[in-house]
Amino acid sequence: MALRFYNTLTQRVEDFTPLDGKTVRMYTCGPTVYHYVHIGNLRTSLFQDILRRWLAYRGYTLMHVMNITDVEDKIIRNAMQQGKSLSEYTAQYEQAFLEDMATLRMQRPERIVRATEHIEEMVANVEALTAKGFTYVAEGSVYFRIASFPSYGKLSHIHFEGQMAGARLDMDEYEKDDARDFVLWKARKGDEPFWDTRLGPGRPGWHIECSAMAMKYLGETLDIHTGGIDLTFPHHENEIAQAEGATGKQFVRYWLHAEHLLVDWQKMSKSLGNFYTLRDLLEKGYSPEAIRYQLSQVPYRNKLNFTFDGLAASSTALDRLRNFKLRLDTAKFAEGANAALSEAAIKARAAFDEGMDADLNTAEALGAVFEYVRIANIAMDAGEFKVGNTPQAHALLDHFDAIFQVLAVTRAAGAKDDAEIQALVDERTQAKKARNFKRSDEIRDQLAADGIVLEDTKDGVRWKRK
RNA sequence: GGCGCGGUAGCCAAGUGGUAAGGCAGAGGUCUGCAAAACCUUUACUCGCGGGUUCGAUUCCCGCCCGCGCCUCCA
């Protein structure tokens, strides 16, 4: 079956077809760099990475733009408190975010753009809206008048007629004509940073950066727009108003939203003390691959309740796959090929692909790999796995890992290199042959202390990094 | 109150109108100088509850209960 995604706009799973042949124009709402991102943010980034990789596998050329929000209330507040400029303050967190992405083996989008470098595009977007009568000015700020945009609410499926029974309203924003209206351009306030523009001195509202930058780099109609589910309203709804108000054309064809990562079944927040950064987990000794696995294994549209038990389980599950690969690389197989196993490899590959095509069902895809691993292990135990079956097994693992990116071990700084380890392993084998168990056990313990595990198998000794 | 997502074995989780993938944990076993590691076997007559449609529902419809999120510049 074809590649298909759940589209928030239509609330249905739809076949995916880009507007322009094999090119996919995709925009991602990246982080607001006022602090280190947490693993919930990274889960969303990881969904985007997997989406990228799968689109590429399916033969599409990506034009993927991700923004960095580097001007915003918390950034301004924190930067001013620390006596830093905005860019001085945000640079450290932007850098940290990019490092986190690399640690988790995420690809960089084709283009990463910063809000503060696109003020002119935002001003132009606001002007286009004003020209069409969608805006009004109050106390120097420019607002979008929602009443003038009838389709407002089509993404979040909110009907605004008799709205707001139990919702809270922000009473500070008394200058708005309608509580639902949102700000496009904020008038300069106090000694906050500002830009002198045709809209007057001030700074952009949050939503305008994304519509302006997305259209600048990807055109008026995008294929895919992604983000966390909490951005659906109001952020993405407002992006639609800004873009479609200005162009009169459909802004985004497929809206994909990642569900939240939860801790104790609650959204992460600092006040609850359930806020983890990638650095926190690495300090506790979890590997980047185990974290990547844990964040990938639950399909992106499901909530993922993060627990350390779950992370440990992911680590063990990942070991199973790595052990299989190691066995494939080190065991001795008889000549020939087993037709039934070839069949199993083909089936596993097809099931993996079908799972991924079905709105990136990573759980199903993963299941297909594990099923093959079990079948192959049984065959190896029985001596029925043949040399001729190895290429297919490798191909399946490579195919899986091209998307999941978890099989290679991240080596600690200062770790022994392979040759060094092999020399010790060989020395131990010699000692064992000579029945010098004292020396052989000594080497085994020494390697264990360095995180190297030795495994004696019928085909000889193999080793791996823990 | 409105909108949205979900409730499947101890935990995580896939799935289909015809009688429940996979992973972790647990139990048993194989291998081994000892061990470690690894591998294998095994665990839901049942899919939140109550109705309905159907020859047949976990899967469709209705109602209810429970959890989570959004409705405040939160991924």
Side-chain angles (χ1 to χ4, degrees):
Chain A
M1 273 181 91
L3 175 57
R4 50 213 190 272
F5 298 124
Y6 179 86
N7 188 348
T8 306
L9 188 62
T10 58
Q11 299 182 299
R12 299 231 300 256
V13 174
E14 300 176 337
D15 284 0
F16 175 70
T17 323
L19 204 53
D20 181 13
K22 284 308 226 181
T23 300
V24 175
R25 296 163 210 279
M26 173 162 123
Y27 185 87
T28 286
C29 286
T32 300
V33 283
Y34 72 99
H35 192 270
Y36 293 109
V37 299
H38 59 241
I39 56 172
N41 298 294
L42 290 170
R43 186 210 185 181
T44 300
S45 301
L46 199 47
F47 144 65
Q48 287 143 5
D49 183 63
I50 288 172
L51 172 62
R52 280 183 57 89
R53 291 171 184 275
W54 192 248
L55 286 168
Y57 166 68
R58 280 308 188 199
Y60 296 109
T61 300
L62 286 155
M63 287 178 59
H64 179 195
V65 175
M66 177 176 74
N67 76 305
I68 301 277
T69 298
D70 59 353
V71 52
E72 172 267 356
D73 291 350
K74 287 189 284 284
I75 291 173
I76 291 170
R77 184 194 65 204
N78 295 358
M80 286 174 73
Q81 273 172 9
Q82 296 179 19
K84 289 180 174 167
S85 71
L86 289 185
S87 60
E88 270 180 302
Y89 178 78
T90 57
Q92 56 187 323
Y93 296 117
E94 177 183 321
Q95 185 55 37
F97 170 65
L98 296 175
E99 282 170 18
D100 287 354
M101 279 185 73
T103 300
L104 291 180
R105 302 180 184 169
M106 296 187 214
Q107 293 178 339
R108 290 269 189 116
E110 278 60 44
R111 199 182 274 274
I112 294 177
V113 296
R114 298 187 187 91
T116 53
E117 292 168 5
H118 296 80
I119 300 295
E120 169 54 31
E121 285 80 359
M122 299 187 221
V123 169
N125 191 342
V126 174
E127 286 177 330
L129 290 169
T130 298
K132 296 197 177 182
F134 290 111
T135 69
Y136 60 92
V137 176
E139 299 181 16
S141 293
V142 185
Y143 292 89
F144 189 100
R145 188 189 307 283
I146 283 171
S148 66
F149 192 75
S151 68
Y152 192 79
K154 70 178 178 181
L155 178 68
S156 48
H157 305 97
I158 296 173
H159 307 289
F160 288 90
E161 297 80 59
Q163 164 74 5
M164 296 293 158
R168 286 165 291 175
L169 293 178
D170 188 345
M171 288 309 173
D172 293 340
E173 306 213 46
Y174 53 85
E175 69 273 21
K176 288 197 274 190
D177 285 3
D178 184 317
R180 299 150 17 192
D181 291 343
F182 61 93
V183 67
L184 295 163
W185 185 259
K186 293 179 157 184
R188 178 185 179 183
K189 199 165 80 185
D191 43 355
E192 287 184 355
F194 68 97
W195 284 263
D196 253 322
T197 71
R198 298 187 296 279
L199 302 173
R203 61 187 174 94
W206 173 39
H207 314 292
I208 194 71
E209 64 177 85
C210 288
S211 57
M213 293 190 291
M215 288 193 288
K216 169 169 182 175
Y217 295 107
L218 299 171
E220 294 177 337
T221 298
L222 327 185
D223 293 306
I224 297 176
H225 190 128
T226 70
I229 194 166
D230 52 350
L231 297 185
T232 307
F233 188 88
H235 184 55
H236 290 160
E237 197 70 69
N238 292 350
E239 280 188 52
I240 291 175
Q242 289 161 353
E244 299 190 359
T247 68
K249 295 178 185 160
Q250 179 171 22
F251 177 45
V252 171
R253 302 172 62 237
Y254 300 88
W255 284 94
L256 273 53
H257 290 103
E259 250 294 357
H260 282 139
L261 178 147
L262 308 176
V263 172
D264 300 326
W265 297 108
Q266 302 252 289
K267 190 172 162 176
M268 275 197 180
S269 74
K270 287 185 187 167
S271 56
L272 287 170
N274 59 3
F275 182 99
Y276 298 109
T277 64
L278 179 59
R279 282 136 218 267
D280 292 337
L281 301 188
L282 296 175
E283 273 172 28
K284 287 176 188 284
Y286 295 98
S287 72
E289 305 86 74
I291 296 164
R292 179 165 170 121
Y293 183 102
Q294 165 77 346
L295 299 183
S296 308
Q297 50 138 3
V298 176
Y300 79 96
R301 282 204 305 126
N302 292 4
K303 294 173 181 67
L304 191 168
N305 190 38
F306 175 84
T307 62
F308 286 99
D309 283 350
L311 188 50
S314 284
S315 190
T316 309
L318 176 54
D319 282 344
R320 180 167 165 79
L321 297 176
R322 285 175 168 172
N323 287 328
F324 177 72
K325 185 175 163 64
L326 187 62
R327 190 174 190 186
L328 207 51
D329 288 335
T330 56
K332 297 185 175 65
F333 305 115
E335 291 302 316
N338 179 326
L341 281 174
S342 297
E343 190 62 31
I346 290 165
K347 277 176 68 178
R349 168 71 174 249
F352 182 93
D353 287 359
E354 173 51 28
M356 293 303 290
D357 277 347
D359 197 26
L360 306 179
N361 189 336
T362 49
E364 196 180 326
L366 222 35
V369 176
F370 278 104
E371 207 166 336
Y372 173 78
V373 166
R374 193 190 66 249
I375 290 169
N377 269 323
I378 292 169
M380 287 177 182
D381 286 351
E384 285 163 11
F385 191 99
K386 304 291 170 60
V387 172
N389 296 114
T390 343
Q392 283 174 313
H394 272 121
L396 181 67
L397 290 180
D398 289 349
H399 181 51
F400 152 78
D401 207 39
I403 308 301
F404 282 79
Q405 291 285 312
V406 289
L407 292 182
V409 176
T410 298
R411 221 190 284 180
K416 282 192 167 62
D417 66 31
D418 291 6
E420 229 175 318
I421 294 165
Q422 193 57 51
L424 283 165
V425 170
D426 291 344
E427 187 191 338
R428 170 174 173 273
T429 304
Q430 290 310 315
K432 262 183 70 172
K433 261 189 192 141
R435 300 194 66 80
N436 181 357
F437 296 123
K438 183 165 174 261
R439 177 57 186 155
S440 69
D441 289 352
E442 193 177 286
I443 293 172
R444 183 212 281 163
D445 293 345
Q446 181 193 338
L447 286 168
D450 286 335
I452 314 292
V453 180
L454 296 193
E455 300 179 9
D456 292 330
T457 75
K458 64 179 165 57
D459 293 330
V461 190
R462 65 183 200 186
W463 61 268
K464 63 187 179 188
R465 299 173 195 277
K466 249 311 191 198

